[in-house]
């Protein structure tokens, strides 16, 4: 089970954080600390996992606390959640991740996905049955997955596609194992690293001739997501 610890001095974040669905496939526990003593207790209990360290301003006391945690609990990955002006500080402190204020659910989810993706032993390929036999398809070869009722169409680089007898939700774990795989609406999971061009009504993929026509709203969301990567 993955341990997710949330700390903000003098503030309990439970009401806000429990609304976030961090994973559909993995078990995780949430711990909330508002005092240094509580934080230490949870770190001793968990020993490894992700610490979301919230602060409005990165004070000297915060820097010292973070450094002590890194020294005492090397298996705990620290995600600093604070003002965007401290992004460089997070990098210089060699922290695992940084989320700028205002903190969003998507930002928290992406940090957890990064943690999962960095874990050892995660399979980043799809195993399917085809007429030719069992095929192993690396995620990097997939352009997108599209919902078709109780089926899912898997579009590959080069233009080939596979129709699987599973609903799209059963492939939700793709986005947890590979940060490039993103489910942006109910109908699609996109491999963002394979998108070559995104215009107002369609997207084009590397090593694939045909474009994918989309609604203006979804095309706009894709462009926004690409720019924020």
């Amino acid at each position: 089970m993955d341990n997710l610890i949330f700390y903000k001095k003098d503030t309990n974040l439970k009401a806000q954080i429990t609304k976030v669905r961090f994973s559909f496939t993995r078990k995780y526990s949430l711990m909330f600390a508002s005092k240094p003593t509580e934080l230490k207790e949870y770190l001793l209990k968990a020993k490894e996992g992700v610490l979301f360290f919230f602060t409005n301003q990165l004070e000297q006391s915060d820097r010292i606390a973070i450094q002590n945690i890194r020294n005492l609990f090397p298996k705990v990955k620290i995600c600093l959640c604070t003002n965007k002006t401290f992004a460089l500080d997070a990098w210089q402190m060699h922290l695992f991740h940084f989320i700028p204020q205002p903190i969003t659910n998507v930002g928290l989810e992406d940090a957890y996905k990064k943690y999962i993706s960095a874990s050892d032993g995660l399979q980043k390929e799809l195993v399917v049955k085809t007429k030719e036999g069992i095929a192993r398809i690396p995620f990097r070869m997939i352009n997108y997955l599209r919902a078709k009722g109780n089926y899912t169409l898997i579009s590959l680089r080069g233009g080939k596609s596979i129709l699987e007898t599973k609903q799209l939700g059963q492939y939700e774990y793709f986005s947890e194992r590979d940060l490039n795989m993103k489910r942006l609406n109910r109908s699609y999971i996109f491999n963002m690293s394979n998108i070559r061009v995104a215009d107002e009504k369609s997207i084009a993929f590397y090593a694939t001739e045909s474009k994918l026509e989309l609604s203006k709203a979804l095309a706009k969301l894709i462009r926004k997501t690409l720019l924020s990567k």
Side-chain angles (χ1 to χ4, degrees):
M1 180 180 292
D2 299 324
N3 300 303
L4 308 183
I5 305 171
F6 299 85
Y7 171 74
K8 186 173 184 179
K9 190 175 181 180
D10 301 326
T11 303
N12 192 311
L13 299 169
K14 185 175 182 178
Q16 173 188 348
I17 301 300
T18 50
K19 297 177 183 178
V20 182
R21 182 69 176 268
F22 285 93
S23 175
F24 291 88
T25 60
R26 292 173 67 95
K27 292 182 179 180
Y28 58 88
S29 66
L30 304 178
M31 306 176 190
F32 302 93
S34 58
K35 299 177 181 178
T37 52
E38 292 176 336
L39 176 58
K40 184 178 180 180
E41 179 184 340
Y42 287 137
L43 290 170
L44 287 169
K45 179 181 178 181
K47 293 185 173 60
E48 61 182 318
V50 185
L51 167 61
F52 293 85
F53 194 104
F54 286 73
T55 181
N56 293 330
Q57 296 292 324
L58 189 63
E59 307 289 351
Q60 185 64 22
S61 57
D62 295 322
R63 297 173 188 272
I64 294 172
I66 289 171
Q67 189 58 49
N68 287 338
I69 292 168
R70 291 187 68 235
N71 292 337
L72 294 172
F73 304 95
K75 291 185 178 181
V76 173
K77 306 297 185 182
I78 301 176
C79 175
L80 180 61
C81 308
T82 187
N83 191 290
K84 64 182 180 181
T85 58
F86 297 107
L88 181 59
D89 297 79
W91 177 76
Q92 290 175 332
M93 294 167 71
H94 304 288
L95 300 185
F96 174 71
H97 195 62
F98 176 81
I99 304 178
Q101 293 176 339
I103 311 300
T104 65
N105 290 1
V106 172
L108 294 170
E109 292 165 7
D110 282 350
Y112 179 49
K113 289 174 183 178
K114 180 180 178 181
Y115 172 73
I116 295 173
S117 182
S119 301
D120 293 333
L122 290 178
Q123 186 182 30
K124 293 186 179 182
E125 63 181 13
L126 175 65
V127 180
V128 297
K129 238 183 227 185
T130 68
K131 293 179 181 179
E132 293 79 23
I134 300 297
R136 303 171 71 93
I137 305 172
F139 286 0
R140 67 178 182 275
M141 297 301 296
I142 298 174
N143 286 337
Y144 63 87
L145 297 89
R146 181 179 183 180
K148 284 185 170 291
N150 291 325
Y151 296 84
T152 296
L153 178 71
I154 303 172
S155 176
L156 307 177
R157 293 184 67 154
K160 186 177 179 180
S161 62
I162 299 171
L163 189 64
E164 285 283 274
T165 55
K166 294 180 182 179
Q167 292 184 333
L168 186 65
Q170 292 182 261
Y171 298 96
E172 191 79 42
Y173 70 93
F174 277 30
S175 63
E176 297 176 359
R177 295 186 179 183
D178 190 328
L179 293 177
N180 291 309
M181 306 294 289
K182 293 188 180 294
R183 185 170 186 176
L184 299 183
N185 68 2
R186 295 172 61 87
S187 299
Y188 287 96
I189 296 175
F190 292 99
N191 185 344
M192 307 303 289
S193 65
N194 278 356
I195 297 176
R196 179 173 57 84
V197 177
D199 60 32
E200 293 186 354
K201 293 184 179 180
S202 67
I203 55 176
F205 300 92
Y206 290 106
T208 305
E209 185 175 343
S210 59
K211 290 185 177 182
L212 176 64
E213 300 295 327
L214 300 170
S215 68
K216 285 186 177 182
L218 181 53
K220 181 179 180 181
L221 178 58
I222 289 173
R223 292 198 302 275
K224 181 180 178 181
T225 304
L226 286 169
L227 288 171
S228 63
K229 280 189 67 177

